[in-house]
Amino acid sequence: MTVTTVDLTCRDPIVSRDGRPFGAGQGNRMRSLGWLLPSVVAGSLRTVIGKESGKGFSDQTAQELLEVSVAGVFPVADQQLYLPAPQDCVVHPEQGPLMVTPQEVDDGGCDWPGQRLKPVMLSKDQAPEDFKPKDAPPWWPLDRYGNWLTGKMIWFDKNFLQVPYKDERTHVSLDADTGAADEGSLFTTVALPLMYLARYGEEHQTAFGDRYAEITLAVKVTASGWCGETVSRLNTLHPLGGERRLVGWKAGGTNLWICPESVAEALAGSKRVQMVLATPAIFESGWKPGWLNGDLTGTPPGAGVVLKLVGVSIKRWQAVSGWSLANLPNQQPGPKPVKRMVPAGGVYFFEVKSGQAASLTTRWLEPVSDGEQDRRDGFGLAAWGTW
């Protein structure tokens, strides 16, 4: 089994459509997600492996390609990996970022059947009065992210990055007979320029380099046999997302997926840990991980510690679907069923019941989704910290 970091360099704006219909007779306006789904990147990379190896896409080859694990995709700028903002961050207009945590209350709580999750909110000491929070920057550099996961104060500056803007273009359809514009046949496409991301708070700067950070995209690939050998020498152009927009795929990037030392030190001996989703997660029970039992106690995949859930801070669920071209015993060609995802940035607060929280450092940015194939596709990569 080999682990390879692959750098993606986008030549064109990338189309990352949502599930709404688009095309002839379906709709003339494309709508875009804010970021690439893990399964989109995993599918494109497996196609690259099949083409570069020369093995094609027989049923046996397709099965072997599906066993390749792909983690990501995250932006890299200034030699740092960036992760999405955690949902336990509330930005006070004067005090700056504050962390919400499970709070003890006498006359309230959460109505989980048979259980009593603690409400996740600010304490009275943090916010004696109500206020309207500001927006946190969407992408955080790993060093500041590590500080946040260990309860240290952070501040927002130009090292934090914004989401990509949506490049919307209006097109006209051509008449096949005349080569002229087909009257009334207008349609709109939307793509994400992923060559640069705007720096937080620098929108008034005049120099392009001050306002924007040049980025690449990074994925971590775990594969064996001929798949692993092909990935290790990867250096090619191949489409990613819709409309066949070209991306450079190159193996051998810097390994930036290591758990920060400050996080590892904080986890050692800690009795309270938090799990932050770096990519959307898919659980059979919706928001609740399947590895938790009826008492909300369980062990994350591959970990050696028993945790009890005490609080959750997540956004509304998102949908993911797709189309399968593989002809396998458990997967026939055609549309994939719609699944509900817990959005990236969701935070789960746990108490350690047995085992050592330090063991979670080996599960840094490893998947915690329920389904084995969902984990291979990169859904539910988790960062761990304390609270």
Side-chain angles (χ1 to χ4, degrees):
M1 193 72 68
T2 59
V3 179
T4 307
T5 301
V6 179
D7 288 339
L8 282 64
T9 304
C10 300
R11 292 168 49 98
D12 308 312
I14 303 302
V15 173
S16 179
R17 287 180 50 198
D18 64 8
R20 283 173 281 192
F22 172 74
Q26 302 180 72
N28 61 358
R29 182 176 294 275
M30 177 188 294
R31 292 173 173 83
S32 176
L33 298 172
W35 194 252
L36 294 164
L37 289 174
S39 53
V40 172
V41 181
S44 293
L45 180 57
R46 290 169 183 147
T47 304
V48 173
I49 297 172
K51 289 182 176 179
E52 291 295 306
S53 66
K55 288 183 174 292
F57 299 96
S58 65
D59 292 350
Q60 177 62 32
T61 301
Q63 181 62 61
E64 293 178 2
L65 288 172
L66 285 173
E67 294 175 1
V68 175
S69 297
V70 183
V73 61
F74 301 121
V76 174
D78 303 324
Q79 298 183 339
Q80 277 214 83
L81 193 72
Y82 278 70
L83 299 177
Q87 292 302 314
D88 61 347
C89 177
V90 175
V91 184
H92 192 282
E94 297 177 358
Q95 302 178 42
L98 302 173
M99 179 182 291
V100 295
T101 55
Q103 300 292 327
E104 295 285 354
V105 292
D106 297 328
D107 55 353
C110 302
D111 58 354
W112 173 257
Q115 298 294 328
R116 187 177 176 85
L117 288 176
K118 298 178 182 178
V120 177
M121 59 186 185
L122 295 173
S123 66
K124 292 182 179 180
D125 292 336
Q126 291 175 300
E129 298 180 356
D130 290 339
F131 65 92
K132 183 177 181 180
K134 298 174 62 177
D135 291 333
W139 288 103
W140 293 23
L142 188 57
D143 58 351
R144 305 291 181 84
Y145 201 88
N147 289 342
W148 180 261
L149 292 177
T150 55
K152 298 177 182 177
M153 293 292 296
I154 66 168
W155 64 97
F156 298 142
D157 55 25
K158 67 178 183 179
N159 292 311
F160 292 77
L161 301 179
Q162 304 281 22
V163 294
Y165 76 91
K166 295 181 179 180
D167 181 18
E168 185 171 320
R169 303 179 184 183
T170 300
H171 310 261
V172 62
S173 178
L174 297 181
D175 188 292
D177 296 327
T178 64
D182 189 4
E183 186 175 353
S185 297
L186 294 176
F187 63 96
T188 301
T189 61
V190 182
L192 304 176
L194 297 179
M195 296 75 76
Y196 300 89
L197 289 181
R199 295 185 181 276
Y200 178 80
E202 298 294 304
E203 58 271 11
H204 301 299
Q205 295 293 330
T206 55
F208 184 86
D210 293 332
R211 288 184 290 132
Y212 292 91
E214 183 177 1
I215 69 166
T216 58
L217 304 179
V219 297
K220 184 178 68 173
V221 184
T222 305
S224 60
W226 63 269
C227 291
E229 294 175 2
T230 304
V231 173
S232 65
R233 61 173 186 271
L234 202 60
N235 187 7
T236 188
L237 290 173
H238 189 270
L240 174 64
E243 304 298 320
R244 298 188 62 79
R245 303 293 176 84
L246 284 178
V247 168
W249 304 72
K250 186 175 182 179
T254 305
N255 184 12
L256 303 173
W257 302 69
I258 301 174
C259 177
E261 185 175 346
S262 59
V263 175
E265 293 175 353
L267 285 173
S270 177
K271 294 299 181 182
R272 301 193 304 182
V273 300
Q274 60 171 315
M275 179 182 78
V276 186
L277 298 176
T279 59
I282 300 176
F283 301 125
E284 294 179 1
S285 301
W287 65 270
K288 185 175 77 71
W291 38 269
L292 294 178
N293 61 21
D295 293 328
L296 303 183
T297 302
T299 300
V305 59
V306 178
L307 306 175
K308 180 176 178 59
L309 183 67
V310 295
V312 180
S313 177
I314 57 177
K315 287 186 176 181
R316 180 184 175 90
W317 65 271
Q318 298 172 338
V320 59
S321 182
W323 191 274
S324 175
L325 296 177
N327 186 16
L328 302 173
N330 59 345
Q331 180 176 308
Q332 301 301 316
K336 296 180 180 180
V338 176
K339 297 180 180 180
R340 294 190 177 193
M341 303 184 299
V342 180
V347 183
Y348 292 73
F349 297 89
F350 296 97
E351 293 177 349
V352 177
K353 288 302 183 182
S354 64
Q356 298 296 321
S359 66
L360 294 170
T361 59
T362 62
R363 305 301 299 167
W364 178 259
L365 293 184
E366 294 292 334
V368 295
S369 293
D370 291 345
E372 184 177 2
Q373 191 58 50
D374 290 331
R375 294 197 294 270
R376 290 172 181 162
D377 291 344
F379 285 104
L381 301 187
W384 298 90
T386 60
W387 59 279

